[in-house]
Amino acid sequence: MTTPTTPIPTKNVLLLRTPAEGGLNNFENAFNTHGYLPTSVPVLETIFVNVEDLSSKIAAGPQNQSLSGVIVTSKRGMEAWSNAVKSIVSADPVDWSSVLFYAIEEATASATAELRAALPSRLVPGDTRGQAQSGTAEKLAHFISSDLSARADGSTARRLLYLTGDKNHDTLPNILTSAGIVLNALRVYATHGSPSFLHDLKNVIENVQAGKWPVEMFNRLKCQQGPTTASFMQDVLKLHVDVVAPRPTSRDLASAISAFDRT
């Protein structure tokens, strides 16, 4: 039986995202598997805010706040949780390990697993749900509503801590509020344009002009990770979108682009 091998990268793809730190991450691995050589250029920078407020909420524990779960819609939100836990000097023996944790995508869920290995288990939500069933805020909201309604432990708590960034839409909170679920929203991070983006992109363009990259690689700028991004590009920026991944994961994005190239 022949063991499948990863093809040698022969095609270039530009990813507008923060490069991996300390080696390859899911995106690099996914594109390498399909024979692509990815280059990442960061578009945004993230700053964490309200760290003390989040630390206070974590130290207070879920029971004292009548919380039955936590919603985080991005990996940055999980990083904010990690920063807050590390800033706690002392705390009563609170326990978050049995609290429901709702994540919108696999990257967020993976970040939760990493935190469980690095932080005291009682300070990290232990039951992660939703990442397989949701790819958008709307789908996650409907899943949360259904999941809380179906709980068989007799709990009537329907209050969730909702960790947000500075660019969240109202879709998820509107759906959950209509379902009678109370959200304690806390902004924990904000994003702004990377000051080095133009310089970094200029270097890539110069490599194209020098023949180090085929010009066709810029077609990849039209291949989007998910329907939310595609809608923005089409409706707001008026750009043509060639490919939309069925789910916002690195594997689905790489597979969708590879299938598009083959046709």
Side-chain angles (χ1 to χ4, degrees), residues 72-141:
V72 177
T73 58
S74 73
K75 185 178 179 180
R76 296 302 185 197
M78 214 55 245
E79 292 174 357
W81 184 282
S82 176
N83 293 338
V85 168
K86 292 175 183 178
S87 71
I88 297 176
V89 178
S90 62
D92 294 330
V94 297
D95 187 6
W96 289 86
S97 62
S98 61
V99 172
L100 301 177
F101 179 81
Y102 294 104
I104 199 170
E105 57 184 18
E106 293 181 4
T108 310
S110 297
T112 311
E114 294 172 3
L115 288 190
R116 292 192 193 109
L119 301 175
S121 59
R122 64 183 179 83
L123 295 179
V124 181
D127 186 354
T128 304
R129 304 184 181 190
Q131 70 275 16
Q133 295 85 355
S134 65
T136 65
E138 180 179 2
K139 290 181 179 179
L140 179 62

Side-chain angles (χ1 to χ4, degrees), residues 194-216:
S194 169
S196 64
F197 173 69
L198 292 179
H199 175 268
D200 296 337
L201 186 61
K202 179 175 179 290
N203 286 340
V204 173
I205 293 174
E206 288 176 348
N207 285 335
V208 173
Q209 294 172 338
K212 297 179 182 179
W213 286 61
V215 176
E216 289 80 8

